[in-house]
Short mmCIF file of all heavy atoms in Angstrom, two decimals:
data_model
loop_
_atom_site.label_atom_id
_atom_site.label_comp_id
_atom_site.label_asym_id
_atom_site.label_seq_id
_atom_site.Cartn_x
_atom_site.Cartn_y
_atom_site.Cartn_z
N PHE A 1 235.97 150.26 -77.29
CA PHE A 1 236.47 149.50 -76.15
C PHE A 1 237.49 150.36 -75.41
O PHE A 1 238.54 150.69 -75.96
CB PHE A 1 237.14 148.20 -76.61
CG PHE A 1 236.17 147.14 -77.01
CD1 PHE A 1 235.68 147.10 -78.31
CD2 PHE A 1 235.72 146.20 -76.11
CE1 PHE A 1 234.77 146.14 -78.69
CE2 PHE A 1 234.81 145.23 -76.49
CZ PHE A 1 234.33 145.20 -77.78
N PRO A 2 237.19 150.77 -74.17
CA PRO A 2 238.11 151.64 -73.46
C PRO A 2 239.39 150.92 -73.07
O PRO A 2 239.38 149.74 -72.73
CB PRO A 2 237.31 152.05 -72.21
CG PRO A 2 236.38 150.90 -71.98
CD PRO A 2 236.02 150.39 -73.35
N VAL A 3 240.49 151.64 -73.13
CA VAL A 3 241.78 151.08 -72.75
C VAL A 3 242.15 151.49 -71.33
O VAL A 3 242.79 150.75 -70.60
CB VAL A 3 242.87 151.53 -73.75
CG1 VAL A 3 244.25 151.07 -73.29
CG2 VAL A 3 242.57 150.99 -75.14
N ALA A 4 241.72 152.66 -70.92
CA ALA A 4 242.14 153.19 -69.61
C ALA A 4 241.17 152.82 -68.50
O ALA A 4 241.40 153.16 -67.35
CB ALA A 4 242.28 154.71 -69.69
N GLU A 5 240.07 152.16 -68.81
CA GLU A 5 239.07 151.83 -67.79
C GLU A 5 238.81 150.33 -67.77
O GLU A 5 239.04 149.63 -68.75
CB GLU A 5 237.75 152.55 -68.07
CG GLU A 5 237.86 154.06 -68.13
CD GLU A 5 236.52 154.66 -68.53
OE1 GLU A 5 235.62 154.69 -67.68
OE2 GLU A 5 236.38 155.05 -69.68
N ILE A 6 238.31 149.86 -66.64
CA ILE A 6 237.85 148.48 -66.54
C ILE A 6 236.34 148.48 -66.67
O ILE A 6 235.63 148.93 -65.79
CB ILE A 6 238.26 147.85 -65.19
CG1 ILE A 6 239.76 147.90 -64.99
CG2 ILE A 6 237.77 146.42 -65.09
CD1 ILE A 6 240.22 147.39 -63.64
N LYS A 7 235.85 148.01 -67.81
CA LYS A 7 234.42 147.96 -68.05
C LYS A 7 234.07 146.62 -68.66
O LYS A 7 234.82 146.07 -69.47
CB LYS A 7 233.97 149.08 -68.99
CG LYS A 7 233.93 150.47 -68.36
CD LYS A 7 233.27 151.46 -69.28
CE LYS A 7 233.15 152.83 -68.61
NZ LYS A 7 232.49 153.81 -69.50
N SER A 8 232.90 146.11 -68.28
CA SER A 8 232.45 144.86 -68.86
C SER A 8 231.82 145.12 -70.22
O SER A 8 231.44 146.25 -70.55
CB SER A 8 231.42 144.19 -67.94
OG SER A 8 230.21 144.93 -67.94
N TYR A 9 231.70 144.06 -70.99
CA TYR A 9 231.05 144.17 -72.30
C TYR A 9 229.63 144.69 -72.14
O TYR A 9 229.18 145.55 -72.91
CB TYR A 9 231.05 142.80 -72.98
CG TYR A 9 230.25 142.74 -74.26
CD1 TYR A 9 230.84 143.05 -75.47
CD2 TYR A 9 228.90 142.36 -74.24
CE1 TYR A 9 230.10 143.00 -76.65
CE2 TYR A 9 228.17 142.31 -75.41
CZ TYR A 9 228.77 142.62 -76.61
OH TYR A 9 228.03 142.57 -77.76
N GLN A 10 228.89 144.17 -71.13
CA GLN A 10 227.51 144.59 -70.93
C GLN A 10 227.42 146.07 -70.62
O GLN A 10 226.50 146.76 -71.09
CB GLN A 10 226.87 143.77 -69.80
CG GLN A 10 225.36 143.94 -69.72
CD GLN A 10 224.66 143.53 -71.00
OE1 GLN A 10 224.89 142.45 -71.52
NE2 GLN A 10 223.82 144.42 -71.52
N GLU A 11 228.37 146.60 -69.86
CA GLU A 11 228.37 148.03 -69.56
C GLU A 11 228.57 148.85 -70.83
O GLU A 11 227.92 149.89 -71.03
CB GLU A 11 229.47 148.36 -68.55
CG GLU A 11 229.19 147.87 -67.14
CD GLU A 11 230.38 148.10 -66.21
OE1 GLU A 11 231.53 147.86 -66.62
OE2 GLU A 11 230.13 148.52 -65.06
N LEU A 12 229.47 148.39 -71.70
CA LEU A 12 229.72 149.10 -72.96
C LEU A 12 228.48 149.10 -73.85
O LEU A 12 228.12 150.12 -74.45
CB LEU A 12 230.89 148.45 -73.70
CG LEU A 12 232.25 148.50 -73.00
CD1 LEU A 12 233.27 147.68 -73.79
CD2 LEU A 12 232.73 149.93 -72.86
N VAL A 13 227.83 147.95 -73.94
CA VAL A 13 226.62 147.84 -74.76
C VAL A 13 225.52 148.74 -74.23
O VAL A 13 224.85 149.45 -74.99
CB VAL A 13 226.15 146.37 -74.81
CG1 VAL A 13 224.73 146.27 -75.35
CG2 VAL A 13 227.09 145.54 -75.66
N ASP A 14 225.32 148.73 -72.92
CA ASP A 14 224.28 149.57 -72.31
C ASP A 14 224.55 151.05 -72.55
O ASP A 14 223.64 151.82 -72.88
CB ASP A 14 224.19 149.29 -70.81
CG ASP A 14 223.63 147.90 -70.50
OD1 ASP A 14 223.03 147.30 -71.40
OD2 ASP A 14 223.83 147.43 -69.37
N GLU A 15 225.81 151.46 -72.41
CA GLU A 15 226.16 152.87 -72.60
C GLU A 15 225.95 153.31 -74.05
O GLU A 15 225.60 154.46 -74.32
CB GLU A 15 227.62 153.11 -72.20
CG GLU A 15 227.84 153.05 -70.69
CD GLU A 15 229.30 153.25 -70.32
OE1 GLU A 15 230.12 153.50 -71.23
OE2 GLU A 15 229.63 153.14 -69.12
N ALA A 16 226.18 152.40 -74.99
CA ALA A 16 226.04 152.73 -76.41
C ALA A 16 224.62 152.53 -76.91
O ALA A 16 224.33 152.80 -78.08
CB ALA A 16 227.01 151.88 -77.24
N HIS A 17 223.72 152.05 -76.02
CA HIS A 17 222.31 151.82 -76.37
C HIS A 17 222.19 150.88 -77.57
O HIS A 17 221.44 151.13 -78.51
CB HIS A 17 221.60 153.15 -76.66
CG HIS A 17 221.72 154.15 -75.56
ND1 HIS A 17 221.10 153.99 -74.33
CD2 HIS A 17 222.42 155.32 -75.47
CE1 HIS A 17 221.39 155.02 -73.55
NE2 HIS A 17 222.19 155.84 -74.23
N LEU A 18 222.94 149.78 -77.53
CA LEU A 18 222.92 148.80 -78.60
C LEU A 18 222.11 147.57 -78.19
O LEU A 18 222.02 147.25 -77.01
CB LEU A 18 224.35 148.36 -78.95
CG LEU A 18 225.28 149.45 -79.50
CD1 LEU A 18 226.70 148.92 -79.63
CD2 LEU A 18 224.79 149.96 -80.84
N VAL A 19 221.54 146.91 -79.16
CA VAL A 19 220.83 145.65 -78.92
C VAL A 19 221.83 144.53 -79.11
O VAL A 19 222.40 144.34 -80.18
CB VAL A 19 219.65 145.48 -79.90
CG1 VAL A 19 218.98 144.13 -79.67
CG2 VAL A 19 218.66 146.62 -79.75
N SER A 20 222.07 143.78 -78.03
CA SER A 20 223.12 142.76 -78.07
C SER A 20 222.60 141.42 -77.56
O SER A 20 221.71 141.37 -76.70
CB SER A 20 224.31 143.20 -77.22
OG SER A 20 225.29 142.19 -77.15
N LYS A 21 223.17 140.36 -78.11
CA LYS A 21 222.84 139.01 -77.67
C LYS A 21 224.14 138.24 -77.45
O LYS A 21 225.07 138.34 -78.25
CB LYS A 21 222.00 138.30 -78.74
CG LYS A 21 221.73 136.83 -78.46
CD LYS A 21 221.04 136.16 -79.63
CE LYS A 21 220.90 134.66 -79.42
NZ LYS A 21 220.31 133.98 -80.60
N THR A 22 224.21 137.49 -76.35
CA THR A 22 225.38 136.68 -76.04
C THR A 22 225.02 135.20 -76.12
O THR A 22 224.04 134.76 -75.51
CB THR A 22 225.92 136.99 -74.63
OG1 THR A 22 226.39 138.34 -74.59
CG2 THR A 22 227.08 136.06 -74.28
N THR A 23 225.82 134.45 -76.86
CA THR A 23 225.65 133.01 -76.95
C THR A 23 226.89 132.34 -76.36
O THR A 23 228.01 132.62 -76.80
CB THR A 23 225.48 132.55 -78.41
OG1 THR A 23 224.33 133.20 -78.98
CG2 THR A 23 225.30 131.04 -78.49
N VAL A 24 226.69 131.51 -75.35
CA VAL A 24 227.81 130.79 -74.76
C VAL A 24 228.12 129.58 -75.65
O VAL A 24 227.30 128.68 -75.79
CB VAL A 24 227.49 130.33 -73.32
CG1 VAL A 24 228.67 129.57 -72.74
CG2 VAL A 24 227.14 131.53 -72.45
N LEU A 25 229.31 129.59 -76.25
CA LEU A 25 229.69 128.51 -77.15
C LEU A 25 230.25 127.31 -76.39
O LEU A 25 230.03 126.17 -76.78
CB LEU A 25 230.71 129.01 -78.17
CG LEU A 25 230.25 130.18 -79.05
CD1 LEU A 25 231.36 130.62 -79.98
CD2 LEU A 25 229.01 129.80 -79.85
N SER A 26 230.99 127.60 -75.29
CA SER A 26 231.52 126.49 -74.50
C SER A 26 232.04 126.99 -73.16
O SER A 26 232.47 128.14 -73.04
CB SER A 26 232.65 125.77 -75.25
OG SER A 26 233.77 126.62 -75.42
N ILE A 27 231.97 126.11 -72.15
CA ILE A 27 232.62 126.32 -70.85
C ILE A 27 233.35 125.02 -70.53
O ILE A 27 232.72 123.97 -70.41
CB ILE A 27 231.60 126.64 -69.73
CG1 ILE A 27 230.80 127.91 -70.07
CG2 ILE A 27 232.33 126.82 -68.40
CD1 ILE A 27 229.72 128.22 -69.04
N SER A 28 234.64 125.07 -70.42
CA SER A 28 235.41 123.85 -70.19
C SER A 28 236.65 124.17 -69.36
O SER A 28 237.02 125.34 -69.19
CB SER A 28 235.83 123.23 -71.52
OG SER A 28 236.63 124.14 -72.27
#
């Protein structure tokens, strides 16, 4: 997780070539 840059989680996952899944637990 970069400290000096503004990057989204999806950008980090794409750059690392990882298989990722996001589950929305709640929006309130």
Side-chain angles (χ1 to χ4, degrees):
F1 284 87
V3 174
E5 302 175 75
I6 302 176
K7 285 190 176 181
S8 70
Y9 173 88
Q10 192 59 51
E11 288 175 318
L12 297 174
V13 166
D14 291 343
E15 288 178 4
H17 305 292
L18 297 173
V19 177
S20 176
K21 174 187 174 184
T22 296
T23 301
V24 179
L25 301 178
S26 66
I27 301 176
S28 60

